[in-house]
Amino acid sequence: MPKALLLENLHPQSRAILEEAGFDVVTRTGALDESELIEALEGVHLLGIRSKTQVTAAAIEQADDLVSIGAFCIGTNQIDLAAAASRGIATFNAPFSNTRSVVEIAIAEIIGLTRRLTEFDKQMHDGVWNKSAVGAHEVRGRTLGIIGYGNIGTQLSVLAENLGMSVVFYDTAEKLALGNARRMHTLDELLETADVVTLHVDGRSGNAGLFGAKQIARMKPGAVLMNLSRGFVVDPAALRDAIVSGHLSGAAVDVFPVEPKRKGDPFESELRGLPNVILTPHTGGSTEEAQEAIGQFVAHKLRDYIATGSTTLSVNLPNVALDQYPGVHRLAYLHHNVPGVLAGINATLAEHGVNIEGQLLATRGDIGYVVTDAGSPVDPAVVAALSSQPSAIRLRVLS
């Protein structure tokens, strides 16, 4: 029975889907460090994680049985994708499932910070009645600046406009502006325009340190900064200085450079205790609805890859959409993308009398993926011959 290891308290639907597909599923609530993960992956075919567990090249190198990794979140920067691809390990994430949840918390924080609700709430709990309009504003008529105009940024753009906000955005890639949103040609242009700046960039290494003292200084006096993207994007010390000095009127931070591995672990940050600053424990996409949707989406991707070889939406392997056909014997062959691989595969199959009923080839960078359907069982000698080819990375026989 194939084995799946699910870490970091994934939604129960994930386990149910994989168990129904015939997997022996082991679940753990917390993240694992590298040495713990290496030990835990012995005999494991599927690994499911969220954002805390770092799947390093060293861990992948020693996971001989691992076939696929599921990131039950948007980001995949916690996984060495190149190392996984080089071992023929397909990696999947959930690029859309929690979009609405992140957008909703962003809207809530925009309103909360602009109305200074955090300060009023704290004073009321301290027994202080401070009915005042000073520093509190409507969001209608104010400008929202979105850095990173992807799935989350675009949906946030639409909802913010419905609240009466003007929207400007900046993205290094060409993106279609939705509604009345306006593209800014430079990051500085956006920072000098927006009353609220919100970050929704991805986890690529080039975004590390994207937002520091220089960028914060460019923001309008009294503006608000929000980071619901990656912890390493914003310099927390620079943000603290801007709040303490009064240059920024508030901030919301959901992600941090260093985060506790497990629920209940202590949390330290220089942003604690600051006025009109909302700190949340990386829960931007953590609603029951989003977690259930993520659990179903990624578990289905893992299940389908094992059963059919389909790599649709894989983040590190060539994408091939496949269905399962009764009576078909499928060879799923991951290889180095070099000339002559397809010819070599077909020559080997012909030598052993294997009739090809269907075949697909896709490439992605240095990796190629050939899926061949045969009308009869494939002899072990064919598998051995294909696996021994210099270009071979991983061959799976699916019946």
Side-chain angles (χ1 to χ4, degrees):
M1 180 180 290
K3 185 175 180 181
L5 173 64
L6 305 181
L7 306 178
E8 302 184 62
N9 201 29
L10 303 183
H11 193 277
Q13 279 287 315
S14 311
R15 177 172 190 151
I17 289 167
L18 294 177
E19 285 183 334
E20 186 177 351
F23 284 85
D24 175 18
V25 182
V26 176
T27 60
R28 298 195 187 185
T29 57
L32 300 180
D33 61 27
E34 184 178 75
S35 60
E36 292 171 329
L37 182 62
I38 289 172
E39 182 179 354
L41 283 177
E42 185 176 352
V44 168
H45 302 86
L46 296 183
L47 172 64
I49 62 168
R50 293 180 71 183
S51 58
K52 298 293 186 300
T53 301
Q54 300 296 309
V55 187
T56 63
I60 290 169
E61 182 67 27
Q62 298 188 56
D64 294 333
D65 298 306
L66 191 61
V67 175
S68 188
I69 301 170
F72 286 70
C73 52
I74 294 177
T76 56
N77 56 293
Q78 72 277 35
I79 303 167
D80 191 322
L81 297 178
S86 70
R87 300 272 292 181
I89 299 170
T91 304
F92 300 91
N93 68 337
F96 317 114
S97 302
N98 68 355
T99 298
R100 180 68 185 201
S101 294
V102 177
V103 169
E104 286 191 3
I105 197 174
I107 291 290
E109 291 175 339
I110 290 168
I111 296 173
L113 293 170
T114 305
R115 292 293 300 271
R116 304 190 74 84
L117 297 183
T118 59
E119 291 189 83
F120 290 131
D121 174 72
K122 184 178 187 305
Q123 290 172 357
M124 290 292 283
H125 280 284
D126 290 340
V128 177
W129 182 269
N130 179 23
K131 184 179 180 181
S132 172
V134 176
H137 301 277
E138 294 182 352
V139 297
R140 180 180 57 176
R142 297 178 81 77
T143 300
L144 173 64
I146 301 173
I147 300 173
Y149 204 63
N151 298 324
I152 293 171
T154 51
Q155 190 171 145
L156 176 58
S157 174
V158 172
L159 293 188
E161 277 198 9
N162 288 334
L163 291 173
M165 301 188 79
S166 298
V167 177
V168 296
F169 71 91
Y170 175 75
D171 199 299
T172 56
E174 288 296 323
K175 296 296 178 72
L176 174 66
L178 301 184
N180 294 315
R182 293 178 293 128
R183 183 189 185 98
M184 298 285 100
H185 298 292
T186 66
L187 179 58
D188 285 347
E189 185 182 2
L190 180 143
L191 299 179
E192 294 164 0
T193 303
D195 300 296
V196 178
V197 173
T198 182
L199 298 165
H200 299 285
V201 299
D202 62 28
R204 70 188 68 180
S205 58
N207 286 330
L210 172 69
F211 221 85
K214 179 181 176 182
Q215 289 73 31
I216 291 172
R218 284 278 190 175
M219 293 175 64
K220 295 170 63 174
V224 164
L225 176 63
M226 298 168 46
N227 183 21
L228 293 98
S229 58
R230 300 291 186 275
F232 57 68
V233 172
V234 174
D235 179 354
L239 177 55
R240 176 184 174 83
D241 291 343
I243 295 291
V244 172
S245 70
H247 177 61
L248 297 185
S249 65
V253 182
D254 185 55
V255 287
F256 304 88
V258 178
E259 297 181 356
K261 288 202 305 182
R262 294 175 176 83
K263 181 179 178 180
D265 286 353
F267 166 69
E268 296 295 336
S269 173
E270 52 266 84
L271 301 176
R272 289 175 53 192
L274 297 180
N276 206 33
V277 172
I278 299 173
L279 304 180
T280 48
H282 207 142
T283 53
S286 293
T287 60
E288 292 185 8
E289 293 86 355
Q291 291 308 304
E292 181 176 2
I294 290 170
Q296 292 176 347
F297 183 88
V298 180
H300 284 148
K301 287 295 177 187
L302 296 173
R303 178 201 65 188
D304 292 347
Y305 176 66
I306 295 297
T308 71
S310 179
T311 53
T312 304
L313 295 183
S314 169
V315 295
N316 69 332
L317 294 183
N319 279 204
V320 175
L322 299 165
D323 292 319
Q324 195 166 25
Y325 297 106
V328 167
H329 303 270
R330 178 167 290 169
L331 295 169
Y333 187 74
L334 285 161
H335 60 87
H336 297 290
N337 186 17
V338 295
V341 173
L342 186 60
I345 292 172
N346 290 343
T348 300
L349 296 177
E351 288 172 10
H352 290 80
V354 177
N355 186 47
I356 298 174
E357 295 198 351
Q359 194 169 57
L360 288 172
L361 166 66
T363 61
R364 182 175 187 165
D366 296 331
I367 306 296
Y369 190 32
V370 177
V371 180
T372 304
D373 286 345
S376 58
V378 179
D379 190 271
V382 177
V383 176
L386 291 175
S387 299
S388 64
Q389 292 190 6
S391 61
I393 294 176
R394 172 169 250 156
L395 173 64
R396 293 195 301 132
V397 181
L398 313 175
S399 299

